[in-house]
Each structure stands twice: as C-alpha cells, then as structure tokens.
Amino acid sequence: MTARPLIGLTLDAEEPGGYSKLPWYALRQNYFAAITAAGGLPIALPHDAALADDYLDRLDGLLVTGGAFDVDPAMYGGGPRHDTVVLKEGRTAFEIAILRGALRRDIPVLGICGGEQLLAVALGGTLIQHIPDAVPDALAHEQPNPRTEPGHEVELTPGTLLSRIIGAPAMAVNSAHHQAVDRPGEGAIVNARAPDGVVEGLEHPGYRFCLGVQWHPEYTVDPRDQAILDAFVEAARHTGAARAAAA
C-alpha cells in the first residue's frame, strides 16, 4: 500500500475572544477533509518562521490556505495601504518563509484564495489592493450568497496545468476576496480569469507543481474542484517517493 504523502496546511490566527481568551489557531475542517479524500495525510502548521526548514524536511506538499486578511502591499511595492487592507503579520511572515522554502526545494505547492495571492508575491508578482476601486464594472467577488454555492464562472487558459487538470474550458467557482493578482510574477502565467477580467488563478511551469487558485476548491462547488486537490496530492506523492528512494 502506497503511503499517504504528508501535506502541510497553514493555519489562520485569531486574537483572544470567541473560542478562547488566549490567541488561537483555526482552519475549516473541509480543508483537511479534501486533502484526506485526495489521498494525502494533512497536518497543521503553527506560525514559527524559524521552523520552516524543519517542516519542509518532512513535508511532501504545502497548501497555503486563505483567510480574512491581506498581504502587506509593502511586500510587492504596492504603494500606500488601502483602507480596506487588514494584516496578520505573524501569519504572513511564516507563510512567506515556508512558501519560499518550498519553492527553493521544488516541493509541490497549492495556494488557495489568499494563498494564491501570496504565491504571486513570492514569485515576484503584484496585487490589486481593492477590486472595486481598480476594476470597472467588477463582479461581486465577495459574493453575497453562501460560499457553498457558486458566485460566478471562470474561463481557463488552454494548455495550462489547471486546464489539463480540469479538462474543460470553464468551471463554476465560489468567490470570497476583495484583492486579486495583478501581475503573476516572472515566469508565472495566468491560468484562469473571471468574466470581468480579474485573475482567478496562476501557475509556474518551472516547478514540479506550483499552482494557485483564487476560489476555494475544498468546498467542491464545482464537481471538478476535487481534481485540483487530487493532482496536488499526486504530485506530493511523487515527491515523497523520490525522497524515500534517495534515503
């Protein structure tokens, strides 16, 4: 029986209040369930940038999750911070450290929502700080309906990794973001766009598996969403097998 590849998932961080009177970590269960369904063994990664390499010594794949916060525009030369921008500096410091480390090691990476935006920044790209101020006639990318329902469709770029994974020219997605990728970074390519032109995904063909999507495939709003997680975990499986063979 083939061992499940070890997949690290980044956590969100919350200040005292609600669940605990002390600072606490959180992540929706469907992230873990989607990785398990794809054949992976998910583990949570607390925020300690000094431990990034220790985690990466053991991980076969890295999933950078989303959350209700933004990447500091100072990280990509984005100019003054928009009034809507909310930071979680400790989380971002850890995620950029472990993400850049995974890219250096060519460990498979999947970025979801804010994770896709951070992936663009790690690759040298830039972001739109607030879509309603930057995109004329933009869709409601912070959809008013539940996240378990589609918000709009995206068109996939033919010939890309994402297009090959999905096997269709378009798919329905949920939408929970007010920022978006502007430039994807040197060597990276856009693999999906919304009808209003907003970037909905990116990838870098120079890596074993380097993929980001702006929506949340862990909800499986579209039946083909699980294929994204499946492809990511399969790439991680090959990484784990190569590591074991070299040991």
Side-chain angles (χ1 to χ4, degrees), residues 92-127:
T92 298
F94 169 71
E95 288 187 329
I96 197 68
I98 197 166
L99 179 51
R100 285 173 172 162
L103 293 172
R104 284 195 300 270
R105 296 172 183 234
D106 203 10
I107 292 173
V109 167
L110 176 62
I112 291 178
C113 197
E116 181 244 11
Q117 295 169 12
L118 190 65
L119 177 59
V121 173
L123 294 170
T126 60
L127 305 180

PDB file of all heavy atoms in Angstrom, residues 92-127:
ATOM      1  N   THR A  92       1.620  35.968   7.964  1.00  0.00           N
ATOM      2  CA  THR A  92       2.242  36.200   6.675  1.00  0.00           C
ATOM      3  C   THR A  92       3.747  35.956   6.718  1.00  0.00           C
ATOM      4  O   THR A  92       4.326  35.404   5.773  1.00  0.00           O
ATOM      5  CB  THR A  92       1.946  37.629   6.192  1.00  0.00           C
ATOM      6  OG1 THR A  92       0.535  37.770   6.026  1.00  0.00           O
ATOM      7  CG2 THR A  92       2.622  37.919   4.862  1.00  0.00           C
ATOM      8  N   ALA A  93       4.406  36.342   7.810  1.00  0.00           N
ATOM      9  CA  ALA A  93       5.847  36.111   7.941  1.00  0.00           C
ATOM     10  C   ALA A  93       6.164  34.617   7.869  1.00  0.00           C
ATOM     11  O   ALA A  93       7.135  34.200   7.215  1.00  0.00           O
ATOM     12  CB  ALA A  93       6.362  36.706   9.241  1.00  0.00           C
ATOM     13  N   PHE A  94       5.341  33.806   8.528  1.00  0.00           N
ATOM     14  CA  PHE A  94       5.557  32.356   8.474  1.00  0.00           C
ATOM     15  C   PHE A  94       5.254  31.816   7.087  1.00  0.00           C
ATOM     16  O   PHE A  94       6.040  31.041   6.517  1.00  0.00           O
ATOM     17  CB  PHE A  94       4.686  31.642   9.502  1.00  0.00           C
ATOM     18  CG  PHE A  94       4.677  30.145   9.322  1.00  0.00           C
ATOM     19  CD1 PHE A  94       5.800  29.395   9.616  1.00  0.00           C
ATOM     20  CD2 PHE A  94       3.553  29.492   8.831  1.00  0.00           C
ATOM     21  CE1 PHE A  94       5.814  28.016   9.433  1.00  0.00           C
ATOM     22  CE2 PHE A  94       3.550  28.124   8.641  1.00  0.00           C
ATOM     23  CZ  PHE A  94       4.689  27.377   8.943  1.00  0.00           C
ATOM     24  N   GLU A  95       4.124  32.215   6.514  1.00  0.00           N
ATOM     25  CA  GLU A  95       3.722  31.654   5.226  1.00  0.00           C
ATOM     26  C   GLU A  95       4.694  32.014   4.114  1.00  0.00           C
ATOM     27  O   GLU A  95       4.992  31.177   3.256  1.00  0.00           O
ATOM     28  CB  GLU A  95       2.304  32.115   4.874  1.00  0.00           C
ATOM     29  CG  GLU A  95       1.232  31.454   5.722  1.00  0.00           C
ATOM     30  CD  GLU A  95      -0.170  31.763   5.283  1.00  0.00           C
ATOM     31  OE1 GLU A  95      -0.407  32.881   4.755  1.00  0.00           O
ATOM     32  OE2 GLU A  95      -1.049  30.898   5.465  1.00  0.00           O
ATOM     33  N   ILE A  96       5.206  33.241   4.091  1.00  0.00           N
ATOM     34  CA  ILE A  96       6.144  33.595   3.030  1.00  0.00           C
ATOM     35  C   ILE A  96       7.454  32.850   3.206  1.00  0.00           C
ATOM     36  O   ILE A  96       8.095  32.438   2.222  1.00  0.00           O
ATOM     37  CB  ILE A  96       6.361  35.124   2.958  1.00  0.00           C
ATOM     38  CG1 ILE A  96       6.990  35.513   1.614  1.00  0.00           C
ATOM     39  CG2 ILE A  96       7.187  35.634   4.113  1.00  0.00           C
ATOM     40  CD1 ILE A  96       6.113  35.322   0.417  1.00  0.00           C
ATOM     41  N   ALA A  97       7.860  32.602   4.454  1.00  0.00           N
ATOM     42  CA  ALA A  97       9.097  31.863   4.707  1.00  0.00           C
ATOM     43  C   ALA A  97       8.972  30.420   4.239  1.00  0.00           C
ATOM     44  O   ALA A  97       9.855  29.901   3.533  1.00  0.00           O
ATOM     45  CB  ALA A  97       9.456  31.917   6.193  1.00  0.00           C
ATOM     46  N   ILE A  98       7.886  29.754   4.613  1.00  0.00           N
ATOM     47  CA  ILE A  98       7.755  28.346   4.251  1.00  0.00           C
ATOM     48  C   ILE A  98       7.425  28.186   2.765  1.00  0.00           C
ATOM     49  O   ILE A  98       7.859  27.229   2.113  1.00  0.00           O
ATOM     50  CB  ILE A  98       6.729  27.621   5.155  1.00  0.00           C
ATOM     51  CG1 ILE A  98       6.916  26.106   5.046  1.00  0.00           C
ATOM     52  CG2 ILE A  98       5.291  28.048   4.830  1.00  0.00           C
ATOM     53  CD1 ILE A  98       6.203  25.320   6.119  1.00  0.00           C
ATOM     54  N   LEU A  99       6.712  29.158   2.192  1.00  0.00           N
ATOM     55  CA  LEU A  99       6.395  29.104   0.764  1.00  0.00           C
ATOM     56  C   LEU A  99       7.660  29.267  -0.069  1.00  0.00           C
ATOM     57  O   LEU A  99       7.907  28.502  -1.016  1.00  0.00           O
ATOM     58  CB  LEU A  99       5.371  30.181   0.433  1.00  0.00           C
ATOM     59  CG  LEU A  99       4.922  30.317  -1.025  1.00  0.00           C
ATOM     60  CD1 LEU A  99       4.480  28.986  -1.599  1.00  0.00           C
ATOM     61  CD2 LEU A  99       3.806  31.349  -1.118  1.00  0.00           C
ATOM     62  N   ARG A 100       8.479  30.250   0.260  1.00  0.00           N
ATOM     63  CA  ARG A 100       9.724  30.438  -0.482  1.00  0.00           C
ATOM     64  C   ARG A 100      10.653  29.233  -0.303  1.00  0.00           C
ATOM     65  O   ARG A 100      11.339  28.825  -1.247  1.00  0.00           O
ATOM     66  CB  ARG A 100      10.409  31.722  -0.025  1.00  0.00           C
ATOM     67  CG  ARG A 100       9.726  32.979  -0.572  1.00  0.00           C
ATOM     68  CD  ARG A 100      10.291  34.251   0.021  1.00  0.00           C
ATOM     69  NE  ARG A 100       9.759  35.435  -0.666  1.00  0.00           N
ATOM     70  CZ  ARG A 100       9.794  36.664  -0.169  1.00  0.00           C
ATOM     71  NH1 ARG A 100      10.328  36.889   1.028  1.00  0.00           N
ATOM     72  NH2 ARG A 100       9.304  37.673  -0.860  1.00  0.00           N
ATOM     73  N   GLY A 101      10.652  28.659   0.906  1.00  0.00           N
ATOM     74  CA  GLY A 101      11.455  27.464   1.125  1.00  0.00           C
ATOM     75  C   GLY A 101      10.971  26.291   0.291  1.00  0.00           C
ATOM     76  O   GLY A 101      11.777  25.533  -0.258  1.00  0.00           O
ATOM     77  N   ALA A 102       9.652  26.117   0.180  1.00  0.00           N
ATOM     78  CA  ALA A 102       9.097  25.035  -0.636  1.00  0.00           C
ATOM     79  C   ALA A 102       9.456  25.226  -2.106  1.00  0.00           C
ATOM     80  O   ALA A 102       9.778  24.253  -2.810  1.00  0.00           O
ATOM     81  CB  ALA A 102       7.585  24.974  -0.449  1.00  0.00           C
ATOM     82  N   LEU A 103       9.414  26.466  -2.587  1.00  0.00           N
ATOM     83  CA  LEU A 103       9.782  26.732  -3.975  1.00  0.00           C
ATOM     84  C   LEU A 103      11.261  26.435  -4.209  1.00  0.00           C
ATOM     85  O   LEU A 103      11.627  25.860  -5.246  1.00  0.00           O
ATOM     86  CB  LEU A 103       9.454  28.178  -4.333  1.00  0.00           C
ATOM     87  CG  LEU A 103       7.957  28.542  -4.376  1.00  0.00           C
ATOM     88  CD1 LEU A 103       7.781  30.039  -4.556  1.00  0.00           C
ATOM     89  CD2 LEU A 103       7.232  27.780  -5.487  1.00  0.00           C
ATOM     90  N   ARG A 104      12.110  26.807  -3.281  1.00  0.00           N
ATOM     91  CA  ARG A 104      13.543  26.518  -3.433  1.00  0.00           C
ATOM     92  C   ARG A 104      13.798  25.021  -3.516  1.00  0.00           C
ATOM     93  O   ARG A 104      14.662  24.573  -4.276  1.00  0.00           O
ATOM     94  CB  ARG A 104      14.332  27.096  -2.249  1.00  0.00           C
ATOM     95  CG  ARG A 104      14.542  28.592  -2.290  1.00  0.00           C
ATOM     96  CD  ARG A 104      15.617  29.024  -1.318  1.00  0.00           C
ATOM     97  NE  ARG A 104      15.297  28.670   0.058  1.00  0.00           N
ATOM     98  CZ  ARG A 104      14.625  29.453   0.897  1.00  0.00           C
ATOM     99  NH1 ARG A 104      14.186  30.627   0.495  1.00  0.00           N
ATOM    100  NH2 ARG A 104      14.390  29.055   2.142  1.00  0.00           N
ATOM    101  N   ARG A 105      13.029  24.244  -2.765  1.00  0.00           N
ATOM    102  CA  ARG A 105      13.210  22.791  -2.751  1.00  0.00           C
ATOM    103  C   ARG A 105      12.398  22.091  -3.844  1.00  0.00           C
ATOM    104  O   ARG A 105      12.496  20.876  -3.993  1.00  0.00           O
ATOM    105  CB  ARG A 105      12.784  22.232  -1.388  1.00  0.00           C
ATOM    106  CG  ARG A 105      13.637  22.706  -0.215  1.00  0.00           C
ATOM    107  CD  ARG A 105      13.020  22.258   1.085  1.00  0.00           C
ATOM    108  NE  ARG A 105      13.735  22.720   2.264  1.00  0.00           N
ATOM    109  CZ  ARG A 105      14.178  21.918   3.229  1.00  0.00           C
ATOM    110  NH1 ARG A 105      13.977  20.605   3.150  1.00  0.00           N
ATOM    111  NH2 ARG A 105      14.801  22.418   4.278  1.00  0.00           N
ATOM    112  N   ASP A 106      11.581  22.848  -4.548  1.00  0.00           N
ATOM    113  CA  ASP A 106      10.676  22.312  -5.570  1.00  0.00           C
ATOM    114  C   ASP A 106       9.714  21.283  -4.981  1.00  0.00           C
ATOM    115  O   ASP A 106       9.437  20.229  -5.573  1.00  0.00           O
ATOM    116  CB  ASP A 106      11.455  21.692  -6.741  1.00  0.00           C
ATOM    117  CG  ASP A 106      10.628  21.630  -8.023  1.00  0.00           C
ATOM    118  OD1 ASP A 106       9.536  22.231  -8.060  1.00  0.00           O
ATOM    119  OD2 ASP A 106      11.074  20.966  -8.982  1.00  0.00           O
ATOM    120  N   ILE A 107       9.205  21.589  -3.793  1.00  0.00           N
ATOM    121  CA  ILE A 107       8.139  20.800  -3.176  1.00  0.00           C
ATOM    122  C   ILE A 107       6.803  21.292  -3.739  1.00  0.00           C
ATOM    123  O   ILE A 107       6.600  22.498  -3.860  1.00  0.00           O
ATOM    124  CB  ILE A 107       8.177  20.962  -1.644  1.00  0.00           C
ATOM    125  CG1 ILE A 107       9.447  20.307  -1.077  1.00  0.00           C
ATOM    126  CG2 ILE A 107       6.934  20.373  -0.983  1.00  0.00           C
ATOM    127  CD1 ILE A 107       9.657  20.566   0.399  1.00  0.00           C
ATOM    128  N   PRO A 108       5.884  20.406  -4.122  1.00  0.00           N
ATOM    129  CA  PRO A 108       4.602  20.847  -4.674  1.00  0.00           C
ATOM    130  C   PRO A 108       3.874  21.834  -3.765  1.00  0.00           C
ATOM    131  O   PRO A 108       3.806  21.645  -2.544  1.00  0.00           O
ATOM    132  CB  PRO A 108       3.817  19.543  -4.814  1.00  0.00           C
ATOM    133  CG  PRO A 108       4.875  18.518  -5.072  1.00  0.00           C
ATOM    134  CD  PRO A 108       6.021  18.942  -4.189  1.00  0.00           C
ATOM    135  N   VAL A 109       3.358  22.892  -4.386  1.00  0.00           N
ATOM    136  CA  VAL A 109       2.701  23.980  -3.665  1.00  0.00           C
ATOM    137  C   VAL A 109       1.329  24.231  -4.278  1.00  0.00           C
ATOM    138  O   VAL A 109       1.187  24.282  -5.506  1.00  0.00           O
ATOM    139  CB  VAL A 109       3.544  25.270  -3.752  1.00  0.00           C
ATOM    140  CG1 VAL A 109       2.735  26.480  -3.292  1.00  0.00           C
ATOM    141  CG2 VAL A 109       4.814  25.142  -2.928  1.00  0.00           C
ATOM    142  N   LEU A 110       0.326  24.384  -3.417  1.00  0.00           N
ATOM    143  CA  LEU A 110      -1.008  24.811  -3.836  1.00  0.00           C
ATOM    144  C   LEU A 110      -1.412  25.996  -2.973  1.00  0.00           C
ATOM    145  O   LEU A 110      -1.424  25.905  -1.743  1.00  0.00           O
ATOM    146  CB  LEU A 110      -2.029  23.674  -3.674  1.00  0.00           C
ATOM    147  CG  LEU A 110      -3.484  24.032  -3.981  1.00  0.00           C
ATOM    148  CD1 LEU A 110      -3.667  24.465  -5.431  1.00  0.00           C
ATOM    149  CD2 LEU A 110      -4.407  22.851  -3.658  1.00  0.00           C
ATOM    150  N   GLY A 111      -1.726  27.119  -3.609  1.00  0.00           N
ATOM    151  CA  GLY A 111      -2.215  28.293  -2.906  1.00  0.00           C
ATOM    152  C   GLY A 111      -3.689  28.493  -3.179  1.00  0.00           C
ATOM    153  O   GLY A 111      -4.111  28.463  -4.333  1.00  0.00           O
ATOM    154  N   ILE A 112      -4.465  28.683  -2.121  1.00  0.00           N
ATOM    155  CA  ILE A 112      -5.912  28.860  -2.238  1.00  0.00           C
ATOM    156  C   ILE A 112      -6.293  30.244  -1.736  1.00  0.00           C
ATOM    157  O   ILE A 112      -5.933  30.629  -0.619  1.00  0.00           O
ATOM    158  CB  ILE A 112      -6.665  27.766  -1.460  1.00  0.00           C
ATOM    159  CG1 ILE A 112      -6.488  26.410  -2.146  1.00  0.00           C
ATOM    160  CG2 ILE A 112      -8.147  28.107  -1.308  1.00  0.00           C
ATOM    161  CD1 ILE A 112      -7.161  25.253  -1.419  1.00  0.00           C
ATOM    162  N   CYS A 113      -7.020  31.000  -2.547  1.00  0.00           N
ATOM    163  CA  CYS A 113      -7.521  32.341  -2.213  1.00  0.00           C
ATOM    164  C   CYS A 113      -6.356  33.255  -1.803  1.00  0.00           C
ATOM    165  O   CYS A 113      -5.522  33.606  -2.638  1.00  0.00           O
ATOM    166  CB  CYS A 113      -8.612  32.250  -1.157  1.00  0.00           C
ATOM    167  SG  CYS A 113      -9.617  33.755  -1.025  1.00  0.00           S
ATOM    168  N   GLY A 114      -6.252  33.644  -0.539  1.00  0.00           N
ATOM    169  CA  GLY A 114      -5.130  34.453  -0.111  1.00  0.00           C
ATOM    170  C   GLY A 114      -3.806  33.750  -0.326  1.00  0.00           C
ATOM    171  O   GLY A 114      -2.768  34.396  -0.532  1.00  0.00           O
ATOM    172  N   GLY A 115      -3.813  32.420  -0.301  1.00  0.00           N
ATOM    173  CA  GLY A 115      -2.606  31.653  -0.586  1.00  0.00           C
ATOM    174  C   GLY A 115      -2.157  31.809  -2.022  1.00  0.00           C
ATOM    175  O   GLY A 115      -0.955  31.802  -2.311  1.00  0.00           O
ATOM    176  N   GLU A 116      -3.108  31.947  -2.936  1.00  0.00           N
ATOM    177  CA  GLU A 116      -2.776  32.209  -4.340  1.00  0.00           C
ATOM    178  C   GLU A 116      -2.161  33.582  -4.486  1.00  0.00           C
ATOM    179  O   GLU A 116      -1.187  33.790  -5.226  1.00  0.00           O
ATOM    180  CB  GLU A 116      -4.038  32.089  -5.194  1.00  0.00           C
ATOM    181  CG  GLU A 116      -3.809  32.330  -6.681  1.00  0.00           C
ATOM    182  CD  GLU A 116      -4.540  33.550  -7.209  1.00  0.00           C
ATOM    183  OE1 GLU A 116      -5.057  34.348  -6.396  1.00  0.00           O
ATOM    184  OE2 GLU A 116      -4.575  33.725  -8.434  1.00  0.00           O
ATOM    185  N   GLN A 117      -2.699  34.567  -3.764  1.00  0.00           N
ATOM    186  CA  GLN A 117      -2.152  35.920  -3.822  1.00  0.00           C
ATOM    187  C   GLN A 117      -0.733  35.953  -3.256  1.00  0.00           C
ATOM    188  O   GLN A 117       0.155  36.592  -3.825  1.00  0.00           O
ATOM    189  CB  GLN A 117      -3.076  36.872  -3.065  1.00  0.00           C
ATOM    190  CG  GLN A 117      -4.451  37.010  -3.698  1.00  0.00           C
ATOM    191  CD  GLN A 117      -5.446  37.736  -2.817  1.00  0.00           C
ATOM    192  OE1 GLN A 117      -5.082  38.344  -1.807  1.00  0.00           O
ATOM    193  NE2 GLN A 117      -6.717  37.669  -3.171  1.00  0.00           N
ATOM    194  N   LEU A 118      -0.505  35.260  -2.144  1.00  0.00           N
ATOM    195  CA  LEU A 118       0.832  35.227  -1.565  1.00  0.00           C
ATOM    196  C   LEU A 118       1.801  34.499  -2.491  1.00  0.00           C
ATOM    197  O   LEU A 118       2.975  34.884  -2.587  1.00  0.00           O
ATOM    198  CB  LEU A 118       0.801  34.556  -0.192  1.00  0.00           C
ATOM    199  CG  LEU A 118       2.105  34.671   0.609  1.00  0.00           C
ATOM    200  CD1 LEU A 118       2.404  36.129   0.967  1.00  0.00           C
ATOM    201  CD2 LEU A 118       2.056  33.823   1.864  1.00  0.00           C
ATOM    202  N   LEU A 119       1.332  33.474  -3.179  1.00  0.00           N
ATOM    203  CA  LEU A 119       2.173  32.772  -4.139  1.00  0.00           C
ATOM    204  C   LEU A 119       2.634  33.722  -5.235  1.00  0.00           C
ATOM    205  O   LEU A 119       3.816  33.709  -5.629  1.00  0.00           O
ATOM    206  CB  LEU A 119       1.417  31.587  -4.733  1.00  0.00           C
ATOM    207  CG  LEU A 119       2.140  30.776  -5.816  1.00  0.00           C
ATOM    208  CD1 LEU A 119       3.456  30.206  -5.283  1.00  0.00           C
ATOM    209  CD2 LEU A 119       1.236  29.651  -6.330  1.00  0.00           C
ATOM    210  N   ALA A 120       1.731  34.557  -5.733  1.00  0.00           N
ATOM    211  CA  ALA A 120       2.115  35.544  -6.743  1.00  0.00           C
ATOM    212  C   ALA A 120       3.211  36.460  -6.212  1.00  0.00           C
ATOM    213  O   ALA A 120       4.195  36.745  -6.909  1.00  0.00           O
ATOM    214  CB  ALA A 120       0.897  36.358  -7.173  1.00  0.00           C
ATOM    215  N   VAL A 121       3.058  36.931  -4.982  1.00  0.00           N
ATOM    216  CA  VAL A 121       4.057  37.811  -4.382  1.00  0.00           C
ATOM    217  C   VAL A 121       5.393  37.086  -4.223  1.00  0.00           C
ATOM    218  O   VAL A 121       6.462  37.640  -4.499  1.00  0.00           O
ATOM    219  CB  VAL A 121       3.551  38.356  -3.036  1.00  0.00           C
ATOM    220  CG1 VAL A 121       4.643  39.136  -2.302  1.00  0.00           C
ATOM    221  CG2 VAL A 121       2.330  39.249  -3.260  1.00  0.00           C
ATOM    222  N   ALA A 122       5.359  35.824  -3.788  1.00  0.00           N
ATOM    223  CA  ALA A 122       6.581  35.044  -3.629  1.00  0.00           C
ATOM    224  C   ALA A 122       7.300  34.859  -4.956  1.00  0.00           C
ATOM    225  O   ALA A 122       8.536  34.744  -4.993  1.00  0.00           O
ATOM    226  CB  ALA A 122       6.256  33.680  -3.014  1.00  0.00           C
ATOM    227  N   LEU A 123       6.551  34.853  -6.049  1.00  0.00           N
ATOM    228  CA  LEU A 123       7.125  34.704  -7.381  1.00  0.00           C
ATOM    229  C   LEU A 123       7.523  36.044  -7.997  1.00  0.00           C
ATOM    230  O   LEU A 123       7.929  36.095  -9.159  1.00  0.00           O
ATOM    231  CB  LEU A 123       6.134  33.977  -8.298  1.00  0.00           C
ATOM    232  CG  LEU A 123       5.838  32.518  -7.932  1.00  0.00           C
ATOM    233  CD1 LEU A 123       4.664  31.980  -8.745  1.00  0.00           C
ATOM    234  CD2 LEU A 123       7.080  31.639  -8.139  1.00  0.00           C
ATOM    235  N   GLY A 124       7.378  37.123  -7.233  1.00  0.00           N
ATOM    236  CA  GLY A 124       7.764  38.439  -7.712  1.00  0.00           C
ATOM    237  C   GLY A 124       6.645  39.234  -8.341  1.00  0.00           C
ATOM    238  O   GLY A 124       6.892  40.274  -8.975  1.00  0.00           O
ATOM    239  N   GLY A 125       5.400  38.788  -8.157  1.00  0.00           N
ATOM    240  CA  GLY A 125       4.253  39.467  -8.739  1.00  0.00           C
ATOM    241  C   GLY A 125       3.683  40.547  -7.838  1.00  0.00           C
ATOM    242  O   GLY A 125       4.215  40.840  -6.764  1.00  0.00           O
ATOM    243  N   THR A 126       2.575  41.115  -8.281  1.00  0.00           N
ATOM    244  CA  THR A 126       1.915  42.203  -7.548  1.00  0.00           C
ATOM    245  C   THR A 126       0.419  41.918  -7.443  1.00  0.00           C
ATOM    246  O   THR A 126      -0.120  41.053  -8.152  1.00  0.00           O
ATOM    247  CB  THR A 126       2.123  43.554  -8.247  1.00  0.00           C
ATOM    248  OG1 THR A 126       1.559  43.491  -9.571  1.00  0.00           O
ATOM    249  CG2 THR A 126       3.600  43.894  -8.355  1.00  0.00           C
ATOM    250  N   LEU A 127      -0.249  42.701  -6.563  1.00  0.00           N
ATOM    251  CA  LEU A 127      -1.671  42.516  -6.320  1.00  0.00           C
ATOM    252  C   LEU A 127      -2.441  43.803  -6.563  1.00  0.00           C
ATOM    253  O   LEU A 127      -1.893  44.900  -6.482  1.00  0.00           O
ATOM    254  CB  LEU A 127      -1.917  42.069  -4.869  1.00  0.00           C
ATOM    255  CG  LEU A 127      -1.185  40.819  -4.378  1.00  0.00           C
ATOM    256  CD1 LEU A 127      -1.561  40.550  -2.922  1.00  0.00           C
ATOM    257  CD2 LEU A 127      -1.477  39.614  -5.250  1.00  0.00           C
TER     258      LEU A 127
END
